[in-house]
Amino acid sequence: MAGKDCVKVAVRVRPFNKRERDAGSRCVVSMAANTITIQDPRNPQVRRTFTFDYAYWSHSGFVRNRDGLFAAEEPGGRYADQGSVFNDLGQGILENALQGYNATLLAYGQTGSGKSYSMVGYGPNKGLVPTLCERLFQAVRANQDSCQCQVFFSMLEIYNEQVIDLLSRGGRSLGGLRVREDQLRGFYVEGLRRVPCDSATRVEQLMEQGTRTRTTAATHMNANSSRSHMLIIAQLKQIFSKENITKQSNINLVDLAGSERQRSSGLEADRLKEGTAINVSLTTLGNVISSLADAALGKKAVHIPYRDSVLTKLLQSALGGNSRTVMIATLSPSDICYEESLSTLRYAERAKRIQNKAVVNESPTERLVKELKAENAKLVLRLSRLGQEGRKTEEETKELRRLLTHNEMQIKAIQTLWEQHLQEALKDWEMQYATITQERRMMQMHPYMLNINEDPQLSGVVKLFIQEGDWDVGLSEGTSRAIPIKGLGIQERHAVFTNEDRRVSVTPVAGAKVMVNGLPITYRTELQHLDRLILGSSSTYLFIGFPCERGADDWSRYDYDYFQSELAAAEGIHIPTLCEDQSQGSSQTDPSLLAVFYDYIKLIPMVTEANQMSQELSKGVEFKLEIKNLAMSDCRGRDLEKDIAVRVTSLENKQVWMWSKAKFINRKFLMEEVYHQQKQQQQQAESALGEGQGSGSKRLVLARDRDPFWDPLEPLHLGSAHLWLQSLAFRIPLEEQVEVLGPEGTEEAILQAQLLPCSPMGLPLGEEDILIDPTELLGKRLDFQLFLEQCCGLRWLKEAKNRGVQIGLRVYDCPQSFYTPAVWHNANPLLEHRVHFSAMRTSQDLLNYLQSSALVLELWGLQEGCADMVSSLEGLRLTPEGSFIIDKASAPDPSVMSDLRSSLRALHQDMEQLRSVNAALRKENSSLREQLNRGPEGGRGRVERHGSLRPSCDAELARALKVFYHSMTSLRAQLQRLRRHRPSEEADLLGLRLFVDEQSRLLRDFGEQLELSVTALKQDVATIVRRKRERSGIWS
């Protein structure tokens, strides 16, 4: 009877990789026994704790010994090496298989978290799979006297819901292999090759063959290996002759696709669902695990969606079925991978609740033998009874002998079949061994190109040898001097490689894309040892020169990222340019900038491939990488967080879209689906045409709402300008022309804007209303108007006339943005848009905002068919005069408005009384003025001087302050423009770099001196005014 076994779950934490070390990453994962705690880097107080069956700390505390093995620094240290992981996980899987149970090992985690290292290993640090195979055949040899063991090995890959046989001797079938269902076997792959093996060495050779096929298939299908699942199936059959028992078990070793999730912050929803067929297997696996976890908790009528994907069909026995299953989840401990690591831990937490029902497997044939032997025993007993009774037993004896003969023939057939399989496999291996031997010999004789793949496990697998003479590289295989390669953007005849006089050169064919060391070439170029080549869109190769040129160079540093970094540097994107705006005193690169750089180089090949697919599918769409907010700042002048975006342009009508990184990655996978469907249609049409049954290929037609190359038009953020608000704190009007700078620092337009202090009714204030001390505003009402007059030199309109623009802004604590009316078809449009803002009682917070912040004016681009942006009044409050209230903390509370009205009525009554008193005082004043006019001239002159002194002084001081603050604001704007100034890309880089460094230092000094002098001047003026007030009562 089958017992219930829960899935055992292990978690392993890897060391920091190069990217994380360069970014100065912080470890947010801690471990104690089998408990793992992860800390939110944004809120260190938030910690989440998980407990699993096994937990392995492989992050720190290790050294590499003489044999190249990673081991703990000190005996008994906490570091978990490959051997420790196998002893806990692999040994259990092996023992279960030898007992006749099905066993499954799942490796789960984000791309680059250490799945492949744990499963396969690297160099002498062998992973679970090769070690398990070694121990399996050791057990086979140890038990060869008591049983006969047969081991069959299969290796497949699932990509885009297609099954690829990695050990197939023939070509790849169109659409992949089919997954069938049998009542006894369950789901299985029809036509999957099962190779008999008699040693661990043979298994390693088959894994190398499978890796080579996987590399070729990935290049041919334009596939990303991190999005594919790899399954290794070892089928063990143990025949115990004496006991007449056959135990048969399947060992499934599964390296799942990368589990990275899209960050939820700041990402827009895509109208086309993320993942589709490429991600459906991993998504369905999560749904299956969640459903099984619910069922384990006692939830009734739970549907398990095994049939929703190829992967879950093949893993049905491993999850909730007849198997003993182990999952190893691998984590990055870096703070920049917090979201992905937390998602992995939650996934593993659900998986450990799954309950399987494992039984010892007996094949139908052996059960029949047992049944026949039992029947024979009954027949023998019956024969003896019949003999004693004297009855004839000839018929029963014949039947018994027939059954025994049939059984012996079946056993012999099984034995013969196994021997035949081994002989066929041996012949295949002899052919492969000859090929491998010839390859090694040629490596010592000729230069060659070595493939470099994003997956390190697939790098260095393909070698293209360049012997003497001219060699045509491309899709064509028609000539004896052709080197066939496949990949996106590869032409029939792509380039000619020439090996002459011990020199190798490459000559691109017209229209072919060939890059050497990050730069495109169009003419014959001589290659040097360790040059980097990119053929087509993304077929990357490292050139290995003649044996005499090879020294002790470290080839490992030329990984996939190195190739992409060269491409980025050729485009002017590298760490120094990204970090040149950093504070000069910082010795460490900003981790966020490094993250942006690595995102950029990750997307370079994807953008190139998307452009190639667009070209081949005649979509007329061009993709270009941009760094969002590269030269942009917030209202306080602080740099905005930088991110990667992809600019999408329709070449026919100049329509433009801006996609986030996450949206582009999703669309890229959808484009691959469309591309593969188109290629399959072409192949089917060509095949039918060759048989005289067709008329040629037809282009795949998609509805526009299902086309991944198209999107509805939306407003585009073109850039922003800063209008500093400091003059409002002194109630001084400001009129300025400000530059609208794009995300990468380009000038998009010039905007003429005014800030006008005004009365509640919108009337401009006079010079006598200028304030000397901004604190005089506290508790008082402040009104001002923003007047956007004109926008000049719109680059957006110069590129295409059928476009429009709007200006958007948000002031202080207003919850909604304000937008100007849309203007179309004019590169220098008149805006003439005025907005009135009011603070009912100016608070200290608002005053600080005015003195230190700017109004960020955002320029938005519109296209035909795109809806205008509309200002929403939701959450906004208006004054009785119709202006917008911005300082809500000081605005009157509606709940006390009734009290204010009653107080207002009382004030009106007091006002009437004061008016009557005032009338009496005026009458008395007039009589006193007549008496003074009749007095001495000296007295009259003194009064005249005293009366005229205040307005003359106030006017003079106001004019001086106005000129001073106007000049100060202009200088500040000039300083901002100079700081953002960038030299021309065509200039000499070395000279310009020195010039920019020197100019940056001078500008920094100038800015500091300017700020100091302005501050000192303001303090001096305020001090002088206060002293004059204290010495004389004329201004009081």
Side-chain angles (χ1 to χ4, degrees):
M1 183 177 177
K4 291 186 177 181
D5 297 307
C6 287
V7 172
K8 294 187 182 300
V9 177
V11 173
R12 190 178 193 186
V13 182
R14 66 157 172 78
F16 285 145
N17 58 26
K18 182 178 183 299
R19 292 186 181 185
E20 293 163 347
R21 288 194 301 269
D22 290 346
S25 295
R26 182 168 57 89
C27 180
V28 295
V29 175
S30 59
M31 185 181 297
N34 293 340
T35 300
I36 289 182
T37 302
I38 185 167
Q39 180 186 59
D40 189 340
R42 297 180 297 270
N43 187 358
Q45 303 302 320
V46 177
R47 296 170 179 266
R48 292 175 174 84
T49 300
F50 302 84
T51 302
F52 300 100
D53 298 286
Y54 304 98
Y56 301 109
W57 183 261
S58 301
H59 173 63
S60 59
F62 62 91
V63 293
R64 175 178 284 183
N65 61 22
R66 295 180 179 179
D67 298 327
L69 294 171
F70 293 111
E73 286 181 333
E74 300 177 357
R78 65 188 302 205
Y79 175 75
D81 59 9
Q82 298 282 62
S84 302
V85 176
F86 177 81
N87 291 336
D88 289 338
L89 306 182
Q91 189 63 37
I93 290 174
L94 177 60
E95 291 173 358
N96 286 329
L98 292 173
Q99 292 172 20
Y101 293 100
N102 291 334
T104 301
L105 174 63
L106 301 171
Y108 182 87
Q110 72 177 102
T111 301
S113 63
K115 295 192 310 296
S116 297
Y117 178 77
S118 295
M119 291 290 284
V120 180
Y122 184 78
N125 297 279
K126 293 185 177 181
L128 286 164
V129 176
T131 308
L132 179 63
C133 292
E134 287 181 4
R135 300 289 179 86
L136 173 62
F137 284 102
Q138 288 176 10
V140 167
R141 288 192 295 270
N143 299 328
Q144 61 184 357
D145 295 334
S146 59
C147 70
Q148 178 193 0
C149 293
Q150 302 175 2
V151 179
F152 291 90
F153 186 86
S154 300
M155 192 172 178
L156 61 90
E157 182 181 44
I158 301 175
Y159 182 83
N160 196 17
E161 285 298 276
Q162 294 185 8
V163 179
I164 304 167
D165 187 353
L166 298 179
L167 302 181
S168 174
R169 286 177 290 192
R172 186 172 63 88
S173 61
L174 192 64
L177 301 179
R178 293 179 178 272
V179 176
R180 301 289 192 186
E181 185 178 13
D182 181 78
Q183 186 174 1
L184 296 175
R185 298 170 60 186
F187 290 105
Y188 67 97
V189 179
E190 184 181 46
L192 181 66
R193 188 182 178 206
R194 297 166 61 243
V195 181
C197 298
D198 55 1
S199 68
T201 304
R202 177 66 178 133
V203 171
E204 289 185 7
Q205 294 160 355
L206 289 172
M207 288 180 63
E208 290 180 8
Q209 177 187 344
T211 302
R212 182 184 296 270
T213 306
R214 192 182 184 197
T215 305
T216 305
T219 305
H220 176 66
M221 295 175 63
N222 188 35
N224 187 335
S225 64
S226 67
R227 289 278 172 162
S228 66
H229 313 280
M230 185 180 70
L231 278 73
I232 294 175
I233 305 170
Q235 198 174 72
L236 173 64
K237 188 172 185 179
Q238 304 172 83
I239 304 173
F240 296 88
S241 303
K242 294 180 180 180
E243 295 83 357
N244 292 321
I245 294 175
T246 295
K247 294 181 180 180
Q248 184 168 309
S249 56
N250 290 333
I251 306 174
N252 300 306
L253 306 171
V254 187
D255 188 355
L256 295 170
S259 63
E260 47 273 353
R261 58 189 294 274
Q262 304 301 346
R263 296 181 185 271
S264 58
S265 57
L267 298 182
E268 76 282 5
D270 192 355
R271 64 182 180 86
L272 298 178
K273 291 183 179 180
E274 197 270 336
T276 63
I278 289 186
N279 279 341
V280 70
S281 286
L282 206 57
T283 303
T284 306
L285 179 61
N287 295 337
V288 167
I289 289 177
S290 296
S291 299
L292 289 170
D294 290 340
L297 294 175
K299 190 174 180 180
K300 300 299 177 84
V302 177
H303 170 66
I304 314 298
Y306 290 116
R307 298 176 179 273
D308 290 356
S309 76
V310 170
L311 177 67
T312 48
K313 286 179 182 178
L314 297 179
L315 293 182
Q316 181 174 5
S317 64
L319 299 171
N322 177 22
S323 176
R324 289 184 171 173
T325 302
V326 176
M327 172 185 283
I328 180 169
T330 53
L331 301 179
S332 164
S334 169
D335 51 356
I336 61 178
C337 296
Y338 167 77
E339 297 287 347
E340 290 81 1
S341 297
L342 178 60
S343 175
T344 300
L345 288 170
R346 286 172 171 165
Y347 201 95
E349 177 78 12
R350 294 195 303 271
K352 73 178 186 180
R353 300 176 188 156
I354 298 174
Q355 294 180 344
N356 291 348
K357 298 177 181 179
V359 297
V360 175
N361 298 288
E362 292 181 354
S363 67
T365 304
E366 297 305 319
R367 281 204 301 270
L368 177 62
V369 173
K370 290 176 65 177
E371 291 171 0
L372 290 174
K373 287 186 176 292
E375 183 66 23
N376 286 346
K378 293 179 182 179
L379 290 174
V380 170
L381 180 61
R382 187 177 178 186
L383 284 172
S384 63
R385 290 177 180 174
L386 289 175
Q388 294 174 359
E389 296 175 0
R391 297 181 181 180
K392 294 183 178 180
T393 59
E394 294 181 3
E395 294 181 2
E396 290 84 347
T397 304
K398 288 180 181 179
E399 181 66 17
L400 175 60
R401 289 175 179 173
R402 188 185 67 81
L403 291 173
L404 291 174
T405 303
H406 179 70
N407 183 32
E408 290 174 358
M409 290 177 64
Q410 282 186 318
I411 294 175
K412 187 175 181 180
I414 293 172
Q415 181 69 28
T416 304
L417 188 62
W418 168 247
E419 295 296 336
Q420 289 177 352
H421 281 319
L422 278 180
Q423 290 298 323
E424 292 175 1
L426 182 60
K427 291 179 181 178
D428 288 344
W429 161 236
E430 289 174 352
M431 295 175 60
Q432 291 177 24
Y433 182 77
T435 303
I436 294 172
T437 303
Q438 182 182 6
E439 181 181 272
R440 290 175 178 172
R441 185 166 56 249
M442 294 184 69
M443 288 171 62
Q444 303 301 320
M445 298 171 58
H446 304 290
Y448 59 93
M449 293 194 299
L450 192 71
N451 83 297
I452 303 297
N453 194 281
E454 184 179 6
D455 186 348
Q457 298 285 341
L458 304 185
S459 289
V461 175
V462 177
K463 302 174 184 67
L464 305 178
F465 294 97
I466 306 171
Q467 303 180 53
E468 290 188 4
D470 294 337
W471 294 86
D472 295 336
V473 173
L475 296 174
S476 176
E477 305 178 23
T479 65
S480 60
R481 302 196 67 81
I483 302 177
I485 63 172
K486 295 182 179 180
L488 196 61
I490 301 295
Q491 299 183 6
E492 287 292 320
R493 187 168 176 265
H494 197 86
V496 178
F497 283 78
T498 304
N499 182 349
E500 189 176 43
D501 297 331
R502 299 190 67 80
R503 293 184 177 181
V504 177
S505 60
V506 56
T507 307
V509 175
K513 297 178 181 178
V514 178
M515 306 190 82
V516 177
N517 300 335
L519 300 174
I521 63 169
T522 55
Y523 50 85
R524 180 168 178 167
T525 302
E526 184 174 341
L527 298 178
Q528 305 297 326
H529 177 55
L530 298 182
D531 273 352
R532 283 77 59 199
L533 289 89
I534 301 179
L535 307 180
S537 296
S538 55
S539 299
T540 50
Y541 296 92
L542 181 66
F543 175 71
I544 307 299
F546 288 91
C548 60
E549 300 174 343
R550 308 169 197 168
D553 303 309
D554 181 15
W555 300 358
S556 62
R557 71 188 185 98
Y558 297 107
D559 57 4
Y560 194 77
D561 283 353
Y562 191 98
F563 280 66
Q564 308 310 321
S565 297
E566 279 190 327
L567 293 178
E571 296 176 9
I573 303 296
H574 44 83
I575 297 298
T577 57
L578 285 176
C579 302
E580 63 185 9
D581 289 334
Q582 274 187 268
S583 59
Q584 299 294 322
S586 176
S587 59
Q588 188 175 8
T589 304
D590 183 358
S592 64
L593 294 176
L594 280 169
V596 168
F597 175 71
Y598 285 126
D599 281 343
Y600 192 93
I601 64 175
K602 175 185 176 181
L603 290 185
I604 285 178
M606 300 182 73
V607 168
T608 305
E609 292 166 1
N611 280 321
Q612 185 65 38
M613 287 187 284
S614 172
Q615 181 179 338
E616 293 189 24
L617 296 174
S618 302
K619 292 294 183 179
V621 175
E622 182 181 64
F623 302 89
K624 181 185 177 184
L625 270 178
E626 290 187 0
I627 299 182
K628 190 177 178 181
N629 301 331
L630 181 61
M632 302 183 73
S633 55
D634 63 8
C635 64
R636 295 183 179 271
R638 296 169 300 197
D639 288 343
L640 292 175
E641 184 179 353
K642 296 168 180 58
D643 201 359
I644 300 297
V646 178
R647 187 182 184 91
V648 187
T649 306
S650 171
L651 300 177
E652 179 181 357
N653 52 26
K654 301 300 181 182
Q655 292 179 339
V656 179
W657 299 266
M658 194 65 70
W659 289 351
S660 68
K661 177 183 68 173
K663 185 172 186 176
F664 170 74
I665 291 174
N666 180 46
R667 291 301 182 89
K668 165 66 165 48
F669 294 132
L670 295 171
M671 294 172 198
E672 288 180 12
E673 283 190 19
V674 174
Y675 182 78
H676 293 152
Q677 291 172 10
Q678 176 65 35
K679 290 300 180 183
Q680 287 179 8
Q681 283 194 7
Q682 289 179 358
Q683 292 176 10
Q684 291 171 354
E686 290 172 1
S687 176
L689 187 63
E691 297 174 0
Q693 301 176 357
S695 58
S697 62
K698 297 181 180 179
R699 186 163 299 280
L700 183 67
V701 179
L702 286 176
R704 192 169 69 166
D705 59 347
R706 294 181 56 209
D707 189 349
F709 291 89
W710 178 86
D711 236 9
L713 292 173
E714 296 178 348
L716 295 181
H717 181 238
L718 304 177
S720 59
H722 287 64
L723 191 63
W724 292 93
L725 302 171
Q726 192 174 24
S727 63
L728 289 178
F730 299 88
R731 290 209 297 222
I732 298 176
L734 173 69
E735 181 178 356
E736 191 168 3
Q737 290 185 346
V738 290
E739 286 180 310
V740 180
L741 298 178
E744 296 187 339
T746 56
E747 183 182 293
E748 297 292 333
I750 298 293
L751 183 62
Q752 297 179 9
Q754 298 181 39
L755 283 174
L756 304 171
C758 63
S759 68
M761 301 304 297
L763 299 176
L765 301 180
E767 293 182 351
E768 65 276 7
D769 295 302
I770 292 176
L771 299 177
I772 299 171
D773 187 353
T775 58
E776 295 181 33
L777 276 176
L778 291 175
K780 298 180 181 179
R781 175 164 176 165
L782 172 66
D783 288 84
F784 67 91
Q785 291 181 345
L786 171 67
F787 180 55
L788 301 176
E789 185 176 356
Q790 187 176 13
C791 202
C792 303
L794 278 166
R795 197 160 69 97
W796 175 249
L797 268 295
K798 292 178 182 177
E799 296 172 354
K801 295 297 183 183
N802 60 340
R803 293 175 174 175
V805 293
Q806 284 182 274
I807 305 294
L809 60 107
R810 181 176 292 183
V811 183
Y812 190 46
D813 58 359
C814 284
Q816 305 293 340
S817 294
F818 298 89
Y819 297 100
T820 65
V823 288
W824 292 82
H825 316 304
N826 191 346
N828 303 290
L830 285 173
L831 302 175
E832 296 186 338
H833 183 72
R834 192 182 300 267
V835 190
H836 188 160
F837 299 100
S838 300
M840 306 309 292
R841 291 193 299 274
T842 304
S843 65
Q844 183 63 54
D845 188 61
L846 175 59
L847 191 60
N848 294 338
Y849 169 76
L850 296 177
Q851 291 181 301
S852 61
S853 302
L855 197 61
V856 180
L857 306 172
E858 296 181 333
L859 179 63
W860 291 87
L862 305 177
Q863 304 170 77
E864 288 188 349
C866 171
D868 296 356
M869 306 180 76
V870 181
S871 303
S872 172
L873 299 181
E874 183 180 356
L876 297 176
R877 294 172 58 190
L878 302 175
T879 65
E881 298 83 11
S883 60
F884 295 101
I885 298 177
I886 61 171
D887 196 359
K888 292 184 179 178
S890 63
D893 191 344
S895 64
V896 298
M897 287 301 291
S898 59
D899 295 337
L900 290 176
R901 289 191 185 97
S902 60
S903 299
L904 187 59
R905 284 193 294 269
L907 288 173
H908 276 300
Q909 294 174 0
D910 295 340
M911 185 69 70
E912 292 300 326
Q913 296 177 1
L914 289 173
R915 281 176 180 169
S916 61
V917 174
N918 190 32
L921 290 174
R922 284 182 178 178
K923 184 181 292 187
E924 185 178 353
N925 284 342
S926 63
S927 63
L928 289 173
R929 187 177 293 110
E930 291 176 0
Q931 294 177 11
L932 287 172
N933 289 335
R934 292 194 298 268
E937 291 294 323
R940 185 169 65 248
R942 187 163 53 249
V943 172
E944 288 176 358
R945 283 196 301 272
H946 287 186
S948 62
L949 179 60
R950 176 173 177 174
S952 62
C953 289
D954 282 353
E956 184 179 353
L957 183 59
R959 282 192 295 270
L961 285 173
K962 184 176 180 180
V963 172
F964 166 68
Y965 283 116
H966 268 298
S967 62
M968 181 189 70
T969 307
S970 301
L971 286 172
R972 189 186 187 99
Q974 181 183 2
L975 184 61
Q976 291 292 333
R977 287 195 294 270
L978 290 173
R979 280 175 175 168
R980 292 190 175 96
H981 182 262
R982 295 291 183 272
S984 171
E985 294 182 359
E986 288 119 5
D988 178 66
L989 288 178
L990 179 60
L992 285 177
R993 189 173 294 133
L994 294 173
F995 170 77
V996 168
D997 291 342
E998 179 65 19
Q999 187 170 354
S1000 297
R1001 185 182 63 80
L1002 293 174
L1003 285 173
R1004 187 176 69 254
D1005 295 339
F1006 170 72
E1008 292 172 355
Q1009 293 175 8
L1010 179 63
E1011 294 291 340
L1012 288 173
S1013 21
V1014 167
T1015 303
L1017 182 58
K1018 288 195 297 183
Q1019 292 174 350
D1020 291 344
V1021 169
T1023 303
I1024 291 170
V1025 171
R1026 289 194 188 97
R1027 286 177 181 171
K1028 287 189 175 182
R1029 283 180 172 177
E1030 293 169 359
R1031 291 175 182 174
S1032 173
I1034 22 186
W1035 287 13
S1036 58

